[in-house]
Amino acid sequence: MTASICWLLLVFASDHQAMIGLARERLRQKALYSIVPAYALSETFTLPELQRLHEVLIGKRLQKKSFRRRIRRIEQAELLLDTGEKRSEGGRPATLYRMKQASDSYTFVRNLED
C-alpha cells in the first residue's frame, strides 16, 4: 500500500469514529427527553429492556419507580401498545410492548437528568 492510501484509510477510520461518537451523543440526548431510543429495541420489548437501554445511553442507573412513572405517561398518551403477550426469563413474566407509529414525536415534560 502506498503512503497516501494508508493516510486515506486512517482519515476514513477517524471520520467514522467521529460520526459514531456524534450519533451516540445524539441518541443519549434523545434518551433524556424522548422515547426515540425504544426504536433501537426489537419490535416487541419489555419495560426492563427499555429502562436498561436508557441507562446505557445516559450512563447512569435510573430508579425503577421514576422510570415507570415516566412510562405511564407514555401509556396514557397511547404511544406504547401492550401486545397481550408475556416473556419469561426466569422470574415473573414481563409484558411485551410495541411502539405505536408516530411515537417518535412525543417528548417528556422533564429530562431524565432533572
Side-chain angles (χ1 to χ4, degrees):
M1 257 194 277
T2 68
S4 60
I5 292 174
C6 288
W7 181 82
L8 279 174
L9 289 175
L10 286 173
V11 169
F12 286 140
S14 64
D15 282 351
H16 283 92
Q17 288 300 321
M19 286 188 274
I20 290 168
L22 288 171
R24 182 171 167 96
E25 177 57 22
R26 183 67 181 129
L27 197 51
R28 187 185 83 74
Q29 290 296 323
K30 288 274 188 181
L32 294 174
Y33 66 84
S34 76
I35 194 66
V36 167
Y39 288 100
L41 296 171
S42 62
E43 185 178 344
T44 58
F45 54 88
T46 65
L47 293 183
E49 291 169 343
L50 181 59
Q51 179 173 344
R52 181 69 185 130
L53 174 62
H54 276 78
E55 290 172 340
V56 167
L57 290 172
I58 66 172
K60 70 177 188 179
R61 294 192 45 81
L62 302 171
Q63 291 183 348
K64 182 179 177 179
K65 186 177 179 179
S66 298
F67 188 78
R68 296 297 168 96
R69 188 177 325 118
R70 176 174 280 247
I71 295 305
R72 273 197 301 278
R73 290 186 195 115
I74 294 171
E75 289 176 314
Q76 289 168 353
E78 298 181 357
L79 303 175
L80 282 183
L81 302 172
D82 183 337
T83 64
E85 300 172 22
K86 305 251 185 211
R87 181 184 303 153
S88 182
E89 296 175 0
R92 188 171 134 199
T95 302
L96 289 172
Y97 292 89
R98 171 179 291 122
M99 293 297 298
K100 187 174 181 180
Q101 294 212 331
S103 297
D104 59 340
S105 62
Y106 180 82
T107 57
F108 299 111
V109 176
R110 293 179 46 199
N111 282 356
L112 281 172
E113 290 183 331
D114 288 346

